[in-house]
Amino acid sequence: MKLVAINYKGHMSYTESDDNEIEINPHYFLEREKEILINLGSENIYKKDESRTLIKEPNKHFIPSFYSKTDTIVNVTAVVGSNGSGKTTFLKNIINSIYKYDFSCSIIYEKNDNYYSTQGSSFSLNQEGFILRPLKNQDEKEVETIYYSPFLDFSNRVNGIDLSMEFFIEQDSSNLDNIFQNTQKTNFYRAIKFKNTLRFLHFQNSKFFKIDKMNLPFPSLNKNLLSFTRNTIKIINGNEIDFQNHFNNVPKELHFSFNKLYNLIKKNVRINYKSSNYVKELFKDYILIYTSSFILNFLNEKNINLKGYKISNEIIQSKEPINYFIDILRSFNYKINKLYKEENTKNLPFEEVNEFLEYLYMLVDDINYNLILKNERTLELSLEQSLKILELHEKIILKLYSYYPNFQGSQILDRGIINFDSKKKLSSGETALLNLYSRIYDYFKRNVIDKKVDVSGKLYLLCLDEPDMGFHPQWKKEFVKSIVEYFDYFFKKLGAKVQIIFTTHDPLTLSDIPNYNVIYLEKDTNGFTTIAEKPKKSFGANITDLLADSFFVKDGLMGSFAKEKINETIKWLNNDGKPLDKKEYHLKLIENIDEPILKSKLKEMYHNIFPIDEDELELKLLNIKREELLKRIESKQNKN
């Protein structure tokens, strides 16, 4: 299954989301009553004649398996146009049409030599053997869209898999009122930064992280600051947890157990107060508090049916806080399995929590005192240590997910216990690069890989909205190769197929796409988005040739500011009554011009008006020779 063409009808584009919000998009596609058929670049070209008869012709330029030897990538299409030409709206219209929220365009699919169309198509067919069938529900489920956008445009959420900047800001900053980062309330900026760094580390620690498939210099987060998320727990008079108001779903006997744990921790703090390792011991106690509050909040979130159920303390014998906490989990786990008479006994992550805490305690014991930032309760860690903690933390999260396999997500689990902040200051380009790959991986990790969802045979339509924004020109040269090779590997590992449509402004990126796979958008004189006439070149074209096409840059390739300054100098040279006090200014400007022919011509014009004095010229030539001789003498001396 793949998308091969889109039939557009003239309309004002709008988006209707699942929550019935309607957003009027600021672009009109074609004048009303007009239609246009847009090919995405496949083995066939689709056309309509005046009687609206749909015609299918072989694409003589098409190269099979061009983007993927395994056919994991079924096609790549670029959408190009100036700012405001409607590129983003074009992507969103395709997505909305797939999910039947936009009836202004219909999509033609190819699948195993069969041809299908979504809603809104009313073509006549006159070719023998060419049958255009309506897309059935089971076929619709084979296609899922992914929308990625690196910039904030304050638009509504997108249907399908939404990986826009708006989505991540909303997700990463949710429920901040009840979250603390160590002792400080987590603010918006820190929450976003922590989540981003965590995604970067998850991605770099995964089997899907393949540098040789990306062809771009991924930054390594070698030094990271580890802090902890603390969910709020209300304390009464500094001694007891207020379960009555905040933890109504936690079984009553756990109220006593967690209060006893809290008092054990307080006792441990008093014992170690005069110890030389007091800071380290205190830090370990805080780690236990953060971990226990995380588990407690999760149990409160999910154990609604267990309210008031009695749990005895018969197996809770430990006096050390960490062991006492593990015993609480074991006791709770034992009673839950007994209550539900589970055939396959399920376990809370008491072993995983123990391993997590012991590793952290070991780090605190071994680490240099100066690397514990006591005011922030933060550890400075190497990449290897960061990845190990991430792995142990992930085991806890996955075990909790498996303990409650049927619940629909958890803000507490998604938040977790740990936060990472890289000490490396990433550039905007490095951040953009990591965001693109880590956010796509993050979605599939949480929704497919961790949950072992079978996506074999599914087609993902990956819509990338200016994904190369912020990249250095050298990275833009590598960009298409990077996404093609990496997503071929990534989706092959998942057992799925992918079709990529991306928007761009950049001719460097475009030079990797055959011209029949490029859609050129422009605004007509009435402000309607329409399809522009294709430039003659794209694939493998020289960057200068691409830029020289009037579609990309009008009125030449020179910057407008430089052009204005040079025109001022030309007017000054041609002015018989020119002010002579500007003579030195215009000569310096001419000397700064780096286009050789233009510079030579303007110098000639200047010296025709202001001839060089022969003695002055001779002196300049002698100085040039002198500089050359001094360089040669210095070079000889260095060799000796």
Side-chain angles (χ1 to χ4, degrees), residues 557-569 585 589:
L557 300 180
M558 186 184 294
S560 296
F561 182 77
K563 186 175 182 180
E564 180 181 322
K565 291 294 182 183
I566 291 169
N567 281 333
E568 285 177 2
T569 295
Y585 165 83
L589 188 141

Side-chain angles (χ1 to χ4, degrees), residues 182-226:
N182 296 336
T183 58
Q184 299 178 2
K185 198 167 186 177
T186 302
N187 62 38
F188 176 83
Y189 169 78
R190 297 180 87 167
I192 299 293
K193 192 175 182 184
F194 290 155
K195 277 291 189 180
N196 246 14
T197 305
L198 203 57
R199 279 190 290 267
F200 295 165
L201 287 170
H202 269 301
F203 177 53
Q204 293 193 357
N205 193 39
S206 75
K207 64 181 179 180
F208 290 91
F209 184 69
K210 296 289 182 182
I211 287 288
D212 59 317
K213 300 292 183 185
M214 297 179 198
N215 302 295
L216 287 170
F218 271 73
S220 182
L221 308 182
N222 292 321
K223 292 289 182 183
N224 301 288
L225 298 177
L226 171 69

Side-chain angles (χ1 to χ4, degrees), residues 383-612:
L383 176 62
E384 182 181 3
Q385 291 167 331
S386 302
L387 294 179
K388 178 65 176 178
I389 290 172
L390 195 66
E391 178 187 333
L392 296 174
H393 180 265
E394 194 67 10
K395 286 182 179 180
I396 296 173
I397 301 300
L398 291 177
K399 197 62 175 282
L400 289 172
Y401 268 122
S402 66
Y403 197 75
Y404 294 98
N406 297 320
F407 69 77
Q408 299 297 313
S410 163
Q411 284 189 343
I412 293 172
L413 286 193
D414 288 343
R415 228 169 18 238
I417 315 167
I418 56 175
N419 303 305
F420 283 104
D421 189 4
S422 174
K423 290 197 75 176
K424 176 180 172 61
K425 177 66 176 175
L426 296 174
S427 70
S428 57
E430 288 174 322
T431 302
L433 180 65
L434 281 169
N435 277 341
L436 170 62
Y437 288 101
S438 67
R439 289 179 175 183
I440 291 173
Y441 167 74
D442 176 71
Y443 171 82
F444 282 95
K445 176 187 180 302
R446 291 185 294 105
N447 296 281
V448 175
I449 299 166
D450 289 349
K451 295 181 179 179
K452 297 180 173 57
V453 176
D454 182 12
V455 295
S456 56
K458 178 170 281 193
L459 173 70
Y460 287 97
L461 179 65
L462 182 56
C463 298
L464 306 174
D465 199 355
E466 295 188 35
D468 54 354
M469 187 174 71
F471 286 7
H472 183 275
Q474 183 62 40
W475 287 18
K476 292 187 177 186
K477 280 181 63 178
E478 304 293 335
F479 174 70
V480 171
K481 181 175 168 55
S482 176
I483 62 170
V484 164
E485 293 193 4
Y486 180 73
F487 289 126
D488 180 54
Y489 163 79
F490 182 83
F491 285 96
K492 183 181 178 183
K493 290 278 286 184
L494 294 175
K497 294 187 179 296
V498 63
Q499 182 168 348
I500 302 171
I501 304 178
F502 70 90
T503 65
T504 185
H505 290 290
D506 198 87
L508 275 170
T509 301
L510 193 64
S511 67
D512 277 335
I513 305 296
N515 214 16
Y516 65 84
N517 278 70
V518 182
I519 298 168
Y520 297 88
L521 300 181
E522 67 179 5
K523 283 287 186 70
D524 64 17
T525 55
N526 296 317
F528 292 100
T529 297
T530 187
I531 306 302
E533 183 180 347
K534 286 181 182 284
K536 295 179 181 179
K537 300 175 180 179
S538 69
F539 184 70
N542 182 282
I543 182 67
T544 306
D545 292 338
L546 280 169
L547 282 171
D549 192 288
S550 62
F551 177 80
F552 292 101
V553 181
K554 293 178 171 60
D555 302 323
L557 300 180
M558 186 184 294
S560 296
F561 182 77
K563 186 175 182 180
E564 180 181 322
K565 291 294 182 183
I566 291 169
N567 281 333
E568 285 177 2
T569 295
I570 293 172
K571 288 179 181 178
W572 180 83
L573 289 170
N574 289 325
N575 182 6
D576 291 336
K578 62 181 69 64
L580 296 181
D581 60 336
K582 295 287 187 179
K583 176 181 173 183
E584 186 177 350
Y585 165 83
H586 290 292
L587 178 60
K588 285 185 177 181
L589 188 141
I590 292 169
E591 293 290 350
N592 274 289
I593 295 172
D594 289 325
E595 204 291 312
I597 297 175
L598 178 61
K599 181 176 184 177
S600 175
K601 180 61 180 174
L602 290 180
K603 284 183 76 173
E604 180 185 336
M605 292 172 65
Y606 182 89
H607 291 304
N608 283 338
I609 300 169
F610 305 103
I612 299 178

Side-chain angles (χ1 to χ4, degrees), residues 48-92:
K48 289 186 300 182
D49 61 18
E50 293 181 357
S51 63
R52 298 196 77 256
T53 298
L54 186 65
I55 302 167
K56 174 174 66 73
E57 299 176 349
N59 182 354
K60 64 180 181 180
H61 299 292
F62 179 76
I63 304 173
S65 305
F66 186 62
Y67 297 105
S68 168
K69 293 179 181 178
T70 62
D71 289 329
T72 299
I73 297 180
V74 300
N75 202 8
V76 178
T77 305
V79 183
V80 193
S82 61
N83 290 322
S85 60
K87 299 185 298 298
T88 298
T89 304
F90 179 81
L91 290 182
K92 291 182 178 181

